Amino acid sequence: MAPFTDDTSTLSEVRVARLVRFHLERGAGGFLVGGEAGDTFQLAHSERKQLLEWVMRECAGVPVWVNTSATTTAGVVDLCQHASRRGAKGAVVCPPPTGHFFAHEGIGMLMAVNRHGNLQSVFVDPEGKWDEYESPVAKAEAVDASWQVLGRPAPDEMRLGEHVVTPLAMFGSDKIGAVVEKIDVFRPAVQSLVRHGGLNRSARAALIELGCDVGSGRSPSYDLSDDGRKILQGILAALAVGATNDER
């Protein structure tokens, strides 16, 4: 998540620190900075770097991955190199969010990131845009075994080594197990929540409900709707009841 100051003009250093500590205190084993839940494309290039630097300072040594997706190859490479210098574990790269690209163009981007990014990279294709790249990507992967290609995961939901990235962390890492244990019960509510507000609004609202001050969203993405908030509050109430029952 990208916590802003009250007027949303800049990132809030204090709120970033509090957010990292909030998750660490609840058992987070690592962080993905700038995922879909993190308002990535509402941040300036320099703000994306600043957010990573503050997370790295506060992360207490747990692995940190960073979404370096951008609209240009040079932008992706620059974000990868910056993350490498700051000690990030690896990069997550998605296709550019806009435009149509031919196979040779996509492969060119992958190869440039692989050669010059200086960081272990995972390429994810959440919309299946680049399915035609399967064979060329396999050749690109052979150049460097660290280049991992994941078919159709979301940038906020994947396995990275021994770690699992999941948007369920919006409820706190300590509650992920309870959600997974009863996933058939929680899945419809979580899916409805995300449909109402997307991952970014839903995650921001969940953190605020849990007492973590992350500030308001930045225009054009505002707060979760009233209907979405009711769904969220129902999920959190069910998790609280489950925790109480477990203690008994």
Side-chain angles (χ1 to χ4, degrees):
M1 179 56 61
F4 299 109
T5 55
D6 287 346
D7 63 2
T8 73
S9 62
T10 61
L11 291 167
S12 170
E13 183 175 2
V14 172
R15 284 172 170 161
V16 170
R18 289 174 180 168
L19 175 60
V20 173
R21 292 174 198 151
F22 173 89
H23 283 301
L24 288 174
E25 289 168 359
R26 285 156 181 78
F31 294 94
L32 171 64
V33 177
E36 185 179 346
D39 291 328
T40 302
F41 291 106
Q42 288 166 257
L43 300 178
H45 205 75
S46 59
E47 288 179 316
R48 294 176 68 176
K49 294 180 178 180
Q50 183 67 81
L51 179 59
L52 175 65
E53 290 173 13
W54 287 342
V55 172
M56 293 301 304
R57 187 185 65 195
E58 302 291 338
C59 72
V62 301
V64 175
W65 289 71
V66 58
N67 178 12
T68 61
S69 305
T71 54
T72 67
T73 299
V76 178
V77 171
D78 180 47
L79 289 169
C80 284
Q81 291 178 346
H82 171 265
S84 176
R85 292 193 299 271
R86 293 299 183 269
K89 174 76 172 178
V92 174
V93 185
C94 296
T98 59
H100 174 74
F101 301 92
F102 296 107
H104 69 280
E105 295 172 325
I107 293 304
M109 189 201 81
L110 296 182
M111 295 300 291
V113 174
N114 197 24
R115 289 170 179 162
H116 307 298
N118 301 331
L119 191 63
Q120 177 184 359
S121 301
V122 173
F123 170 70
V124 300
D125 189 10
E127 298 180 9
K129 282 184 177 180
W130 292 358
D131 283 346
E132 71 246 47
Y133 300 174
E134 182 177 355
S135 177
V137 167
K139 295 176 183 176
E141 185 179 6
V143 175
D144 186 341
S146 69
W147 184 270
Q148 179 184 358
V149 180
L150 303 178
R152 293 191 182 235
D156 288 61
E157 190 169 22
M158 69 185 75
R159 180 179 293 277
L160 295 174
E162 71 274 21
H163 293 92
V164 174
V165 178
T166 172
L168 296 178
M170 74 173 75
F171 306 120
S173 297
D174 55 330
K175 296 183 176 65
I176 293 175
V179 177
V180 172
E181 184 179 351
K182 299 181 179 179
I183 191 62
D184 290 339
V185 175
F186 282 103
R187 182 186 289 112
V190 173
Q191 289 176 336
S192 181
L193 171 65
V194 174
R195 281 197 299 270
H196 271 81
L199 284 180
N200 60 335
R201 296 183 192 85
S202 301
R204 189 176 299 276
L207 288 163
I208 292 172
E209 288 284 340
L210 292 168
C212 184
D213 176 19
V214 290
S216 299
R218 174 182 278 179
S219 178
S221 179
Y222 294 108
D223 296 332
L224 189 65
S225 67
D226 289 341
D227 287 341
R229 198 176 306 280
K230 290 177 183 177
I231 297 169
L232 170 62
Q233 290 169 346
I235 294 171
L236 293 175
L239 287 170
V241 170
T244 301
N245 290 339
D246 289 342
E247 290 173 0
R248 291 175 182 170

